Amino acid sequence: MSTQAAQAQPPMAPGFQRNMLLVTTLMISVMATVDMTIVSVALPYMAGNLNTGPDEITWVVTMFTCGQALIIGVTGHLSRLLGRRRLAILVVVGFVLSSVACGLAQSLTQIVVFRFIQGLFSGPLIPISQSMLVDAFPAEDRPRALSVWAMGVLGGPAAGPVIGGYLAENLDWRWNFWINLPIGVLALILILFFVRPVARRRVTTDFTGLTLLGIWVISLQILLDQGDKLDWFGAREIWLLGIVAITFFIAFVWRGLPLRDRNIIDLGLLRDPNFAACSLLVAILGSIFLAMLVATPQLLIDYLGWEVQTAGLVIGGSGVLGIIGSLVGGRLVGLIGIHAVLVLGSLTIAAGWLQYSGLNPFAGPIEAFIPGALIMFGMMLIFPSLAAQAFANLRPEQRDEGAGMFNFVKTLGFSFGVTFVSTMMYRGGQANWTRYAGDVSWRQPGFVAFGETTGLSDNLPLAGAWLTDEMANQSGILAIVQMSEILATLALLAMPLGLLLKTRNR
């Protein structure tokens, strides 16, 4: 079989083999995306066990995202260099071994190094699983197949805090990593039996482009993850990281555009308006969706005082609407077209965030469930179709490269989105405290009436402490409300990008 033919495999016939390939890609995507958020709830447990502070332990998250962002864009090159099936086997084995090493770590330095390695091996998992499906299914069936795949890509981050919180509370934080061992072994068996081999190609590795890319991405990720803790551009380190990131980004693009597919990442793919629009839309709307997974645990657990399990059930329960959205999204595209579905999904996401902005300290599980369910439904309505439509104009031999670029743009968008949301919540809470704390006084008639209702007065020794905690909670909740209104607006502003989409399929 020639190299070109190997890269342009015909779609698989319907049946058991194709269905099991779908299961395999779902398993791979879940394994990769759960680890994006599984440690978020367990960080305090890890800090205590490893004898480190809350600021230092965040490097466990930062270095994972650095490794993932660095490698995800070069997945197409790695697939050509090694062959897709070999690459899948290599990264699953590496991901499992590095996960075990993370669980065995005895110091902060060890776990940070192992998390970076884990991120490197996790990066190719999502792009290669996507390109497997694009190759295996004909164009008319891709949205339905990618709907199942999307459950793993978007459902994994939603399930991560639930699983991580349960394991950290009931077993040990190390099980957040060791759980990957049985899942990885099963994924490896499925790959060996059901993934079709794609022949290697003779390619030259662009080490100059890889170096420029690596310095740009790592400096950008550290800037985004650590900026809020370092007071952003009030810190010299952030200025330095910003200058480095911008300089090497410009150098990477300036050098890479003329090289096209000889660059470590084929930037020429972004000349296709269809591919560029789909990638950008997924980055924007995906970051708006991911904001829910960042804000909701803090709102429900820290501000409203819910148990971790209750908050986890509310967050995880929204995934049910996501499954429904993924199932009906492909059918709606056939009935009303992708542009109308994009509008409907964006409106649903915006409605969810507007509903989210109405949450208050007295909200119950149902009130907290509805906004998340709307956001999840709207995102899953859109995402599979965009993931399929991005490949409409790409040649078969460009699919691995396209999947890498698509997910690279998505990952960068997610990083900016998480940073924006985290900064909005932190700085917004501080601003609200400054704005309203000075107006609180025991001499105000309204506050006196509130004190009489609750039994509080300025004579009680703990009244001041209670008032401080309550003001902090109220300021934080108000910051989330304000952020929700901004995100609802961004969801609506993303809709005009859909006008760039072309519906021709290959």
Side-chain angles (χ1 to χ4, degrees), residues 351-368:
W353 277 113
L354 287 176
Q355 185 77 16
Y356 204 100
S357 69
L359 294 178
N360 58 67
F362 305 103
I366 297 298
E367 290 89 343

Side-chain angles (χ1 to χ4, degrees), residues 42-53 57 102-108 111 171-174 178:
L43 288 178
Y45 300 91
M46 297 167 64
N49 186 259
L50 297 174
N51 194 28
T52 188
I57 200 65
C102 287
L104 295 173
Q106 299 299 314
S107 68
L108 177 65
I111 196 168
L171 293 174
D172 189 281
W173 64 264
R174 298 178 187 277
W178 291 339

Side-chain angles (χ1 to χ4, degrees), residues 15 64 71 115 133 147 213 278 291 394 464:
F64 178 83
I71 208 70
R115 276 286 280 178
L133 287 182
S147 296
L213 174 69
C278 287
L394 300 187

Side-chain angles (χ1 to χ4, degrees), residues 406-422:
F406 178 83
N407 287 280
F408 178 65
V409 174
K410 173 176 68 68
T411 300
L412 290 180
F414 282 13
S415 296
F416 277 103
V418 169
T419 300
F420 171 76
V421 170
S422 300

Side-chain angles (χ1 to χ4, degrees), residues 77-90:
H77 175 78
L78 293 174
S79 182
R80 295 194 303 270
L81 186 67
L82 301 173
R84 186 188 295 162
R85 190 164 176 266
R86 288 189 186 92
L87 177 61
I89 293 170
L90 174 65

Side-chain angles (χ1 to χ4, degrees), residues 11-60:
M12 297 174 65
F16 176 76
Q17 192 79 13
R18 195 173 76 171
N19 291 337
M20 289 307 299
L21 177 66
L22 185 58
V23 172
T24 303
T25 59
L26 177 62
M27 179 72 68
I28 292 173
S29 62
V30 168
M31 185 173 64
T33 56
V34 163
D35 268 72
M36 292 171 58
T37 57
I38 194 171
V39 301
S40 59
V41 179
L43 288 178
Y45 300 91
M46 297 167 64
N49 186 259
L50 297 174
N51 194 28
T52 188
D55 290 340
E56 289 81 6
I57 200 65
T58 59
W59 282 100
V60 172

